[in-house]
Amino acid sequence: MAKTFLLSILTPEHEFYNGQVEMLSVAAADGRLAVLPGHAPTVVSLAEGELAFRDEKGDRKWAAASDGFMTVTQDETVVMLQSAEWPENIDRVRAERAERKAKEALLQKQDRVSYLSNQAMLLRAMTRLRVSESHRVNQ
Amino acid sequence: MSSSAEIRHHIKAVNETGKITKAMHLISSAKMRKAMEAHDQTMRYYSLVRSNMRFLLDNAPEDFRSVFYRENGARACYMVIAGDKGMCGGYNHDVLKLALHEVLDDTHRNVRLITFGHVATDFFRRKGIKVDASYLTAVQNPSLDGARELANEVCRRYKKDEFDEVFIIFTQMLKGGVTRPTLLHLLPITRETVANVQPMHTPAAGLQLEPDVKTVLDSMARHYVVGMIFSCLVQSFASENRARMTAMESATRNADEMLHKLQLELNHARQTAITQEITEIIGGNPDSFTL
């Protein structure tokens, strides 16, 4: 059986990644999920979170990913996201500011819609901070 | 015949107007090119979203229904995209004519109207049609973030069951710079919406869905709505600039023609003045010669 599969990660702005990988791990809507070569055809709804994979040379790579979805088929795995960032490209100052702002906003009394949007903003900021902290540079 | 001073003044004015129209022409063409490049890049992604949706709908059960995939109804929401200012030929007029026709059409019992751009807002106000919401900055600088916010708002209201159908009226940018006002049926998403889209993958037997088909299709629908709104905004923006480009090009040409005519007129006037002076001198009162 093949030891790798073709992965492409797409965002509206650009093609984020395209290449053979040994393993992929994503944040699905209800927990983390890993894809290995020969996975059954699946469509997965993805949540905001960390995305990790091991490329054909065995190097591990991480990225901060937004919500989106993933399609796994025999030939390829396509991950479609609103946005994706490598740890080294994350602007920590901006992420920290966004985190602080979201936290402050969550303390205020507000309607449900803005509560949800602030919560999403906080989650996004925290994901970006976590990814940039734990994996400063991809190996 | 006007005096040469008057003609000189006229020439100066036309010259300056010509400079302005020429600059506007250059600005519009640069804006249009930039917008369309960004658009093509982004649309590659969203056409994939669409083909993915087709793939899933092909695999979904025949009677599949969800929030974004339901029946048409009597309550409609129209999003009308026009410009913020004039000086762009028939651009605003053409798209607003279609919009007025669609909005006054009585196939829908209840109509909500969202306008983009000053011209669209003012147009409906003047006609005495109630505008429910208007966005003024979105048309100047269409961004993906802006489209995302808008899409969230539309999806939220749609989910709250405020309307059954959503349409966008915008100006489509076709190949070769041809523009055309178009009505787009945004929601609900039906099998017809994606009928002419190539599915992304060959049908897979025993396709698994995490967590379930409804959640996945919902997530795709959201992506789809963002993509469509963005595309419509950018195409309208590009069309507006295309129209302005053409209008300004012909204005510049007019100015050049006018300058040419005025220059001839000026020469003529000057010559006449000289001739007249000489005639006056020759045929004038001999007493005026003081030797």
Side-chain angles (χ1 to χ4, degrees):
Chain A
M1 198 173 73
K3 285 180 73 181
T4 58
F5 60 96
L6 183 65
L7 169 70
S8 49
I9 303 173
L10 305 167
T11 73
E13 276 93 11
H14 60 304
E15 187 173 55
F16 187 68
Y17 182 84
N18 190 337
Q20 293 286 333
V21 299
E22 290 175 353
M23 188 273 290
L24 165 74
S25 158
V26 291
D30 49 0
R32 292 202 70 82
L33 191 138
V35 181
L36 292 169
H39 195 285
T42 315
V43 182
V44 187
S45 173
L46 301 179
E48 193 89 40
E50 189 180 301
L51 183 148
F53 59 86
R54 205 160 59 220
D55 68 15
E56 53 187 336
K57 288 187 231 105
D59 294 339
R60 295 173 71 87
K61 288 197 160 60
W62 288 269
S66 74
D67 61 320
F69 53 89
M70 170 175 84
T71 318
V72 183
T73 58
Q74 257 116 8
D75 326 314
E76 58 173 350
T77 297
V78 183
V79 180
M80 304 192 81
L81 303 164
Q82 294 278 347
S83 74
E85 274 174 301
W86 297 117
E88 56 267 33
N89 293 342
I90 291 174
D91 183 348
R92 286 186 59 87
V93 179
R94 220 192 79 200
E96 269 161 21
R97 200 182 307 138
E99 186 189 25
R100 211 163 39 239
K101 215 173 116 194
K103 271 187 181 157
E104 271 164 25
L106 282 175
L107 290 176
Q108 315 277 324
K109 204 173 177 177
Q110 55 198 184
D111 57 294
R112 205 177 136 66
V113 178
S114 44
Y115 179 79
L116 286 177
S117 83
N118 280 319
Q119 210 174 30
M121 200 165 103
L122 180 62
L123 190 64
R124 193 151 48 238
M126 282 169 71
T127 307
R128 296 175 72 223
L129 281 175
R130 199 176 55 237
V131 170
S132 94
E133 208 149 283
S134 45
H135 325 287
R136 266 250 163 122
V137 182
N138 275 318
Q139 285 154 23
Chain B
M1 168 152 288
S2 22
S3 77
S4 44
E6 269 168 38
I7 297 171
R8 271 204 196 94
H9 183 74
H10 200 164
I11 287 180
K12 212 173 142 200
V14 171
N15 218 339
E16 256 145 46
T17 312
K19 270 184 203 155
I20 293 170
T21 54
K22 203 166 180 179
M24 281 176 86
H25 168 79
L26 291 175
I27 291 168
S28 303
S29 63
K31 273 187 180 167
M32 186 193 79
R33 231 184 2 255
K34 220 173 108 194
M36 281 324 278
E37 268 164 26
H39 178 256
D40 291 347
Q41 173 76 30
T42 313
M43 280 337 274
R44 262 196 293 270
Y45 174 84
Y46 287 105
S47 68
L48 278 178
V49 172
R50 256 203 314 237
S51 57
N52 229 325
M53 220 151 63
R54 165 82 200 267
F55 170 65
L56 258 196
L57 280 173
D58 282 355
N59 280 292
E62 198 58 47
D63 56 346
F64 176 75
R65 291 277 175 278
S66 90
V67 182
F68 294 110
Y69 308 85
R70 60 184 185 201
E71 300 295 323
N72 293 345
R75 293 163 306 159
C77 171
Y78 286 96
M79 299 162 77
V80 179
I81 307 172
D84 259 351
K85 52 186 176 191
M87 302 237 257
C88 46
Y91 166 74
N92 284 316
H93 173 258
D94 291 349
V95 70
L96 288 174
K97 202 171 91 183
L98 173 74
L100 188 67
H101 176 78
E102 289 296 332
V103 169
L104 294 182
D105 188 4
D106 47 347
T107 46
H108 294 98
R109 189 161 36 82
N110 189 329
V111 172
R112 267 165 182 272
L113 194 59
I114 302 173
T115 55
F116 295 82
H118 283 289
V119 178
T121 314
D122 292 346
F123 175 79
F124 285 108
R125 290 242 165 91
R126 257 202 322 276
K127 295 266 176 212
I129 298 168
K130 189 169 159 272
V131 176
D132 293 281
S134 62
Y135 292 85
L136 299 177
T137 48
V139 289
Q140 297 271 11
N141 186 15
S143 72
L144 206 55
D145 282 329
R148 222 167 267 161
E149 257 167 54
L150 258 164
N152 282 343
E153 182 70 12
V154 170
C155 289
R156 192 173 62 80
R157 286 178 184 276
Y158 187 75
K159 277 191 150 176
K160 267 170 73 187
D161 203 24
E162 289 186 17
F163 32 78
D164 301 306
E165 285 177 83
V166 181
F167 298 92
I168 304 183
I169 296 163
F170 71 110
T171 311
Q172 204 181 358
M173 184 92 198
L174 301 168
K175 284 210 174 66
V178 184
T179 60
R180 192 176 57 199
T182 312
L183 175 81
L184 178 97
H185 198 170
L186 185 66
L187 287 172
I189 299 163
T190 57
R191 278 171 210 271
E192 286 83 66
T193 316
V194 289
N196 49 9
V197 178
Q198 197 63 32
M200 187 161 176
H201 313 279
T202 43
L207 184 74
Q208 291 174 20
L209 292 144
E210 292 281 343
D212 53 51
V213 67
K214 193 180 150 301
T215 318
V216 176
L217 270 172
D218 263 20
S219 144
M220 275 184 199
R222 242 178 268 270
H223 273 67
Y224 167 81
V225 172
V226 173
M228 282 333 241
I229 291 182
F230 177 72
S231 168
C232 291
L233 283 172
V234 175
Q235 287 192 52
S236 285
F237 178 76
S239 303
E240 183 185 347
N241 278 301
R242 169 90 213 174
R244 185 162 296 130
M245 220 173 100
T246 325
M248 288 304 125
E249 199 179 4
S250 70
T252 311
R253 209 173 30 241
N254 264 347
D256 284 345
E257 255 168 50
M258 214 161 164
L259 274 181
H260 184 69
K261 247 186 241 160
L262 282 171
Q263 194 65 50
L264 286 182
E265 219 172 283
L266 176 67
N267 292 346
H268 200 96
R270 204 184 55 210
Q271 196 55 58
T272 319
I274 292 168
T275 316
Q276 198 177 347
E277 230 168 278
I278 292 171
T279 327
E280 268 167 20
I281 290 165
I282 292 168
N285 189 351
D287 294 348
S288 66
F289 289 101
T290 47
L291 288 168

